[in-house]
Amino acid sequence: MRIADVRRRIAATVVVAKDGRRVTTVVAMDDEIEWLGTKEAARRLGLTTRTLYRLINEGQIPAYKFGRVIRLQAREVDAFIEAARIRPGDLEHLYPHPDDPGRDDPDDRLDELES
């Protein structure tokens, strides 16, 4: 099989995370598309349907409208989940760092109270 033939038989979904990371999901074109309704997609994401509609409206997750029905591709939902993965070190702003003298350390206050 030639490379050109292989390229015609695959499709890629690219989702860009808020921090600019790109996550690509590659599937064979022969695979049947698995469609999710909004309730099922919201459940899969652990979100309310209202939040899912907001993400769709903001362009963060792709969706398709067939008449009055909105559907999402399961592989695109999975790519969105992967793009939302937290990398080590991304949450440092949420807790005090012992090497940063500009931040208060609760243990220092305990030491002062005990003295």
Side-chain angles (χ1 to χ4, degrees):
M1 184 178 283
R2 297 179 322 181
I3 292 176
D5 294 333
V6 172
R7 285 187 183 149
R8 278 190 224 119
R9 296 183 60 209
I10 61 172
T13 299
V14 178
V15 176
V16 179
K18 284 185 179 180
D19 65 357
R21 289 180 294 139
R22 293 169 53 118
V23 176
T24 305
T25 304
V26 178
V27 295
M29 291 296 284
D30 297 339
D31 292 348
E32 188 174 318
I33 296 173
E34 180 186 352
W35 293 104
L36 304 175
T38 52
K39 286 182 184 178
E40 187 178 0
R43 192 175 332 111
R44 191 171 188 155
L45 291 164
L47 305 170
T48 63
T49 52
R50 182 178 177 143
T51 301
L52 176 62
Y53 288 135
R54 183 178 53 79
L55 293 172
I56 292 168
N57 191 49
E58 292 173 353
Q60 293 188 42
I61 187 165
Y64 306 84
K65 188 171 181 181
F66 304 108
R68 294 177 17 187
V69 178
I70 295 175
R71 296 283 186 242
L72 296 91
Q73 290 186 26
R75 65 183 167 94
E76 291 176 337
V77 172
D78 293 339
F80 177 82
I81 292 168
E82 189 61 33
R85 181 183 299 258
I86 298 171
R87 293 182 297 188
D90 283 352
L91 300 179
E92 287 183 355
H93 66 284
L94 297 177
Y95 57 90
H97 195 275
D99 296 336
D100 188 355
R103 295 190 184 183
D104 289 334
D105 186 0
D107 291 336
D108 290 343
R109 292 187 186 154
L110 287 175
D111 292 341
E112 291 173 9
L113 292 173
E114 292 173 354
S115 339

